Every structure is written in C-alpha cells, then in structure tokens.
Amino acid sequence: MPDVPELRERAAELDAADELAKLREQFVLDEVVYLDGNSLGALPVGVPGRVDDVVRRQWGELRIRSWEESGWWTAPERIGDRIAPLVGAAPGQIVVGDSTSVNVFKALVGAVRLVGDGRDGRSGRNEILVDATTFPTDGYIAASAARLTGCELRPLEPAEVPGAVGPRTAAVLLNHVDYRTGRLHDLPSLTSAIHDAGALAVWDLCHSAGALPVGLDEHGVDLAVGCTYKYLNGGPGSPAYLYVRGDLQDRFDSPLPGWNSHADPFGMSPSYAPAPGALRGRVGTPDILSMLALEAALEVWEDVSIDAVRAKSLALTDFFLECVAAYVTGGRVESITPSAHAERGSQVALRCPDAGEVMKRLIERGVVGDFRHPDVLRFGFTPLYVGFGDVERAARVLGETLG
C-alpha cells in the first residue's frame, strides 16, 4: 500500500483552518475515529450533568411540581423551536415526541386527510406514493396508512415521482437522503412537482437534519419528520419530531388524538377538541428524561451555521474519497455515493464484497463505521466533531485492512 505523507500534511492544514474544529471539545470522544454518527451521534459533554439534574433535583426533589416549575409540560414545542432553524422552519411548526415511525404515521395519514377534506377541489384522491428505496419502517408505515385510509400504495424511485404523481395522488413520502448510499434527493424540485399535481409532500429528514440545509419553509414542504439521535446527537432512542406547515395546522387531523394534544388536556372531556398549532401533533405524556437530554444536546448548536456545517461536510467527504483513491488498491472498493455535491448527503458508502468482515476489522483497529447488507461499508461524517485527520486515518486504515 502506498504511503502518502502529503495527505497527512494536508489534513493537518485543513484542521488548522477549520472554523468548526473547536466544537469537538464539546463531545465525549476518545482516540477512535468515529464515523457512525449517521446512526448514533456522539455524546455532548453537557448532557450527563443535565440528566443528573433532571433525575436528582427535578424528579427527585420537585417531583410533580416540575411539570410547571421545570418546564416539563412545554418541552415538546420548546425543543421543537430549537430544532426549527436547523431544518429551515419558523417557530411554532415543530413538536418533539414519539418515535420517527409514529410521526411518519401521523404525518402520512394526516396528509391524506388534508387532501380528502373537500377543500381546494382535491377530494377523491386515493393513492399514496412512497420511496421504494426508503428505510424499511417508512415503507411498512406507508402500507399501513394506505390500508387505513383506503388508498393504493405505489412504491417508486424518487426520480420517478414527477412523472408518476397525478390527480389520484394524495400524498408522497420521500427520504431526503438515502440511508444506504448517501444520495441527496432534490427536495425543492420534487416538492414542487408534488404540489403541481395537487398532492402533499411528506419528507423524512433523518439523514439530513443537522448535516445540511433543508429549507422546509422556503420550499413549501407540507409535513416532515425526523429523528434526533443521528446528526443532532440526542442519544439512543431520543424522541423524534413532527413538522406541520403553519397554514395547514388548523386542518391537520392527527390519527392519534391523545390527551396531550387536546385543547383542554386537564378538562378530561369525553370528546376530543384539538389544540391549536403544532401542539395537535402531540399524543401522550412526553418522555421527559430523553427529551431533556436532547434539549441539552442541542445547546451545542448555539451560534453554529448550518451552511458552515454543510461546507465542511462536503470537504470531509471529498477528502475521504481522495484518500480512499490513494490508499486502497484499485477495484477493491466502489463508491456508490454520488460524486456531485448537489446529490450527496454527509456520508460515503463503499461497495465491498466482504464488507461485513472488513468493518469488523476496521472497528478492531479503531475506525468505526457500519455495514449494510449485503456489501456496503457506510461512513458518516458529522462535521461538529469529525476532523480531516480522522478522515485521512480512516482511509489509510481501510487501505491497510484491504491490502
């Protein structure tokens, strides 16, 4: 395997010039090169102390008083407003809670109900389009939502959407970034095509929020969901979020009308009256421990520009691909991540025949990525704590492992 000291020198120069490099000290990290933040983000240093306070003081001492005195009750919308600028949304449109799967269900059924309420001449739509390459759960949920709403489900590639969406389409569920390949789909143009056909766009942002600009408001996205344990570093199983565009909120009819989304939750009325605004996306009692851990994790984002994050993400992935080309024997791996910046998320996926075994050996040598069946090595680049030295080392170890 060739030795390329110039790459190590350039990595050091890039790290020295990196305006985001100082953020690394806000995470609990060791000497491992951690390139799996697209599955589980690293632990921010402020989270353990916050969780300790929530458990010992807020729960242990204040107990039930914390619903008001510690702000537990308003946490879902308060934390939603902290996520909002990271996905290009104005305040009051995001509520945090439940899992991504539950929020996909709420969003998709809610979208079908929105177009089926007889307004704007859009009633009679009985078709849901879903990304055929989506993470499996989205497909499962879409199939259930179709059965529940009496719709036909049509899986298709995102590129096929403009030619497939039509007068029967109620809603289209798409992933912003493909979880296997890291391909970034064109949210603005696809949303526009969906709207031109009179349907509603539902976007899954799990692999883009916190890694690149999304522009929900700018591009008129109707509904969106996302997790918080990847690039937002909220911790394992941290609650997801639901975005409902402001002008749709008064008509959004959640299929899970829990007491927490009632206009008068403590009135204990036998009949349901939805709360105004994004609050109607709530369901049951908020999961306070994980939610407040997420709130502490989001403090890392104070004064961080998502555009700067995107610029570093592209620089990291470009440099990784360059290092792989230098260190890995030709033909041993093949990148299935698009080379064009406009089509790339914040990960690089390499096809490798013995990928599962290779990843085990990489982890043993201190380079942590992950493996996707049957033959994909997946490396995620979280710009808040991954540096160019990490990138060079990962590619060098990959070359040694394969060599």
Side-chain angles (χ1 to χ4, degrees):
M1 185 201 74
D3 182 36
V4 191
E6 293 84 359
L7 290 175
R8 291 195 289 278
E9 293 170 6
R10 189 142 62 88
E13 293 171 357
L14 290 168
D15 280 330
D18 177 19
E19 64 179 292
L20 300 179
K22 61 183 181 295
L23 294 172
R24 184 182 177 97
E25 64 189 26
Q26 297 192 41
F27 293 87
V28 178
L29 295 166
D30 50 26
E31 296 305 311
V32 166
V33 176
Y34 189 63
L35 301 181
D36 208 8
N38 54 327
S39 283
L40 177 64
L43 171 66
V45 296
V47 171
R50 182 68 56 81
V51 172
D52 184 74
D53 178 70
V54 172
V55 172
R56 295 181 185 276
R57 184 183 64 84
Q58 296 181 30
W59 179 14
E61 298 175 14
L62 296 178
R63 291 176 287 274
I64 202 167
R65 291 160 51 196
S66 277
W67 284 106
E68 292 187 4
E69 295 181 25
S70 300
W72 287 1
W73 186 258
T74 59
E77 57 268 31
R78 181 178 74 242
I79 302 172
D81 284 346
R82 297 199 73 154
I83 293 173
L86 302 180
V87 292
Q93 299 177 101
I94 293 179
V95 65
V96 173
D98 306 311
S99 68
T100 306
S101 302
V102 171
N103 282 314
V104 168
F105 181 75
K106 286 187 282 187
L108 200 51
V109 174
V112 173
R113 290 178 175 179
L114 280 166
V115 301
D117 67 1
R119 303 188 189 194
D120 302 324
R122 295 187 294 182
S123 59
R125 293 176 177 267
N126 60 358
E127 174 187 75
I128 295 173
L129 305 185
V130 63
D131 184 348
T133 63
T134 188
F135 189 77
T137 287
D138 283 18
Y140 307 155
I141 295 292
S144 179
R147 293 194 300 271
L148 179 69
T149 58
C151 286
E152 175 188 350
L153 183 69
R154 290 179 60 198
L156 73 174
E157 301 278 339
E160 298 174 319
V161 167
V165 65
R168 291 183 51 229
T169 310
V172 182
L173 172 62
L174 295 170
N175 277 257
H176 196 193
V177 173
D178 186 290
Y179 80 101
R180 288 189 187 88
T181 67
R183 175 179 291 277
L184 172 65
H185 297 299
D186 191 342
L187 181 147
S189 67
L190 288 170
T191 300
S192 179
I194 292 165
H195 287 169
D196 287 347
L200 295 187
V202 181
W203 283 93
D204 183 329
L205 309 178
C206 285
H207 286 269
S208 57
L212 53 92
V214 177
L216 292 179
D217 288 353
E218 177 186 357
H219 303 301
V221 169
D222 303 296
L223 301 106
V225 304
C227 68
T228 61
Y229 48 79
K230 300 182 190 297
Y231 296 108
L232 298 182
N233 309 297
S238 57
Y241 57 90
L242 170 68
Y243 164 89
V244 182
R245 201 178 69 222
D247 62 313
L248 298 177
Q249 290 175 359
D250 67 336
R251 295 192 289 124
F252 178 68
D253 180 11
S254 173
L256 298 172
W259 77 286
N260 251 246
S261 64
H262 198 285
D264 181 17
F266 293 98
M268 302 302 168
S269 169
S271 59
Y272 180 73
L279 292 180
R280 62 178 60 191
R282 294 173 60 153
V283 183
T285 304
D287 40 353
I288 291 299
L289 297 183
S290 58
M291 190 168 292
L292 297 188
L294 167 63
E295 185 173 35
L298 291 171
E299 292 176 0
V300 171
W301 288 93
E302 292 292 334
D303 301 320
V304 175
S305 162
I306 195 66
D307 289 324
V309 168
R310 176 57 169 165
K312 182 177 176 182
S313 164
L314 291 172
L316 288 169
T317 50
D318 277 345
F319 189 54
F320 181 69
L321 289 168
E322 180 183 350
C323 291
V324 168
Y327 284 129
V328 178
T329 303
R332 190 65 177 85
V333 298
E334 172 197 1
S335 175
I336 58 174
T337 299
S339 58
H341 286 182
E343 299 177 356
R344 187 194 308 166
S346 198
Q347 72 180 57
V348 171
L350 302 176
R351 179 165 286 132
C352 178
D354 47 350
E357 182 58 32
V358 169
M359 184 53 69
K360 289 179 183 178
R361 289 157 60 195
L362 287 175
I363 292 172
E364 290 171 357
R365 297 193 58 185
V367 175
V368 178
D370 65 17
F371 157 68
R372 285 293 177 265
H373 184 81
D375 59 357
V376 174
L377 298 170
R378 198 175 66 151
F379 302 94
F381 298 84
T382 305
L384 299 188
Y385 55 77
V386 173
F388 293 91
D390 296 322
V391 168
E392 187 275 336
R393 177 182 161 194
R396 180 160 34 89
V397 172
L398 175 62
E400 293 169 356
T401 301
L402 295 175

